[in-house]
Amino acid sequence: MTAPVLFSTLATADGRQLGVATLNTEKTLNALSMNMVQLLAAQLQAWKTDPAIAIVILQAAGEKAFCAGGDLQNLYASMRSHHTSERAGDVLANPYALDFFAQEYRLDYLVHTYAKPILCWGHGIVMGGGIGLMAGASHRVVTEKSRLAMPEIAIGLFPDVGGTWFLSRMPGKLGLFLALTGASINASDALFVKLADEVLPQASKADVLTALQCTKWSNHADQNHQRLSQVLSAFAAESSDTAGPLRNNFDLINRLCSAPDLPTIVAQILAVDAAQQEEYPWLQKAVSSLQKGSPTSVWLAHALQARGKYLSLAEVFRMELIAALVCAQNHDFVEGIRALIMDKDQKPQWLPDSLDDLQVQDGERYFTSPWAAGQHPLGDLGSVEELQRQAA
């Protein structure tokens, strides 16, 4: 049986090595499973302290996707079982959901705070859990075929894996718009919103790897960061004046998402002029996705960005873990997976089915820790290393 993640090393001219991790479940668009999370975490930890490893390369098998999100099959089964159990009212009574989210977020945090350079080659579809891996890498490459999105409103979740962190740091109100609509963006827009660092032709990948093997690396991580940047810059595609749809609609999106309350923001997006939607089919899809998405997910995405604005990265992951477990306990997440992935009828029945029916007071449970003080599973995240990376 083929391993879901392949690990190898490439020798360099100076005797050091490049650590290469390849997501290897091409048939499922490299969707991130619990096993893959555990394998990646263990190997990254090993390479972290291995003096022979100069940089880490994170890539994927196939030409369709780097990673299309999390593998939701087992998560769905665990939620179905939990919802019909005697402990359905206990948010901690789904051990699989707790382990999956806690380990995934811990892996993403490791990538964000990794001292050695990590080159993430984000070719093809990069969604959800895939962006969680890519967002924290020190050097993020997209190609002419890259399509990035956080489409969790379609399955009754929210933009997790640190989405509260990186979406809120995008220019203007773009991060909020992407969270509410699940809209996909291309390579040009990925650069604009700082989810990518370079656009490279996919055809250049082999030459890039060869150049990295020929590079003289250092014993110092900061110098290796600079050298990796230099190699990628030498291969970068020529800049183009063609802006992506997100940038083209920047002023419109800022206006739509600057209202003082969520119902007005949603109403303004849904009321976008038909002529503008016709001119930009991308915008039409975004409006449609918001209209069809879970109202609870829309509310939660907005609330998380508001609460997470001034939190550290570690605090964001701790907050998202609580919210994810409450989503796993509730109706919409399991219903969204059923409708879009399991039964594929594309007809989720959201509860409630409109923002007007949401009870604001019920929302506090998404932010109320179910653990006693000092017992949060991600309570140990946060260090001097994190602060240094954030300040850089």
Side-chain angles (χ1 to χ4, degrees), residues 247-265:
R247 190 167 189 173
N248 279 328
N249 290 280
F250 180 70
D251 291 338
L252 170 63
I253 290 170
N254 272 345
R255 178 174 59 80
L256 296 175
C257 295
S258 293
D261 60 84
L262 179 60
T264 304
I265 292 172

Side-chain angles (χ1 to χ4, degrees), residues 108-109 112-113 131-132 135-137 140 150 158-171 175-176 179 193-195 301 304-320 386-387 389-392:
D108 292 336
Y109 184 83
H112 274 274
T113 57
I131 292 187
R140 303 159 301 177
M150 296 295 289
F158 61 91
D160 64 331
V161 294
T164 303
W165 169 266
F166 56 76
L167 289 171
S168 64
R169 283 158 176 77
M170 291 180 177
L176 178 59
V193 299
K194 303 177 182 179
L195 276 180
L304 282 162
Q305 287 200 30
R307 290 181 180 235
K309 188 174 182 180
Y310 300 109
L311 298 182
S312 72
L313 179 60
E315 289 170 330
V316 163
F317 277 119
R318 284 192 280 270
M319 180 174 66
E320 288 187 350
E386 175 193 353
L387 297 175
R389 277 291 300 272
Q390 291 181 31

Side-chain angles (χ1 to χ4, degrees), residues 38-325:
Q38 293 169 340
L39 291 170
L40 281 168
Q43 189 62 64
L44 286 178
Q45 288 288 2
W47 281 339
K48 183 178 179 179
T49 56
D50 186 345
I53 299 295
I55 71 170
V56 172
I57 299 168
L58 185 55
Q59 61 178 15
E63 291 295 315
K64 292 184 178 180
F66 167 67
C67 175
D71 183 355
L72 300 175
Q73 303 277 350
N74 289 328
L75 190 58
Y76 176 79
S78 76
M79 290 190 290
R80 287 289 299 271
S81 177
H82 180 213
H83 292 182
T84 57
S85 73
E86 294 181 355
R87 298 182 63 193
D90 182 358
V91 73
L92 296 181
N94 184 340
Y96 182 87
L98 174 57
D99 286 346
F100 179 81
F101 286 115
Q103 292 188 44
E104 183 184 22
Y105 295 177
R106 188 174 288 276
L107 170 63
D108 292 336
Y109 184 83
L110 175 62
V111 173
H112 274 274
T113 57
Y114 212 69
K116 294 180 180 181
I118 295 182
L119 165 59
C120 181
W121 194 276
H123 176 63
I125 298 170
V126 189
M127 294 185 178
I131 292 187
L133 287 175
M134 185 174 178
S138 61
H139 295 72
R140 303 159 301 177
V141 168
V142 287
T143 73
E144 68 279 4
K145 295 293 186 180
S146 295
R147 294 295 180 271
L148 289 72
M150 296 295 289
E152 286 79 5
I153 63 158
I155 57 169
L157 189 57
F158 61 91
D160 64 331
V161 294
T164 303
W165 169 266
F166 56 76
L167 289 171
S168 64
R169 283 158 176 77
M170 291 180 177
K173 299 291 184 179
L174 298 185
L176 178 59
F177 180 81
L178 292 177
L180 298 180
T181 64
S184 65
I185 59 175
N186 61 16
S188 175
D189 276 334
L191 285 179
F192 181 52
V193 299
K194 303 177 182 179
L195 276 180
D197 303 297
E198 297 284 2
V199 179
L200 272 62
Q202 174 66 3
S204 71
K205 185 179 179 182
D207 291 336
V208 171
L209 294 178
T210 298
L212 293 176
Q213 288 185 265
C214 294
T215 298
K216 291 185 177 180
W217 300 98
S218 167
N219 291 325
H220 302 286
D222 56 345
Q223 293 180 7
N224 288 339
H225 278 274
Q226 295 174 3
R227 292 172 189 181
L228 177 54
S229 295
Q230 291 168 355
V231 171
L232 297 179
S233 295
F235 283 90
E238 293 184 4
S239 60
S240 171
D241 294 332
T242 304
L246 195 64
R247 190 167 189 173
N248 279 328
N249 290 280
F250 180 70
D251 291 338
L252 170 63
I253 290 170
N254 272 345
R255 178 174 59 80
L256 296 175
C257 295
S258 293
D261 60 84
L262 179 60
T264 304
I265 292 172
V266 170
Q268 289 182 164
I269 295 174
L270 296 180
V272 169
D273 183 81
Q276 288 176 302
Q277 293 189 45
E278 187 173 340
E279 182 180 359
Y280 294 106
W282 171 89
L283 187 58
Q284 187 177 47
K285 290 181 181 178
V287 172
S288 177
S289 295
L290 172 58
Q291 191 171 37
K292 296 176 182 178
S294 162
T296 300
S297 294
V298 169
W299 177 88
L300 185 54
H302 179 266
L304 282 162
Q305 287 200 30
R307 290 181 180 235
K309 188 174 182 180
Y310 300 109
L311 298 182
S312 72
L313 179 60
E315 289 170 330
V316 163
F317 277 119
R318 284 192 280 270
M319 180 174 66
E320 288 187 350
L321 179 57
I322 297 169
L325 291 180

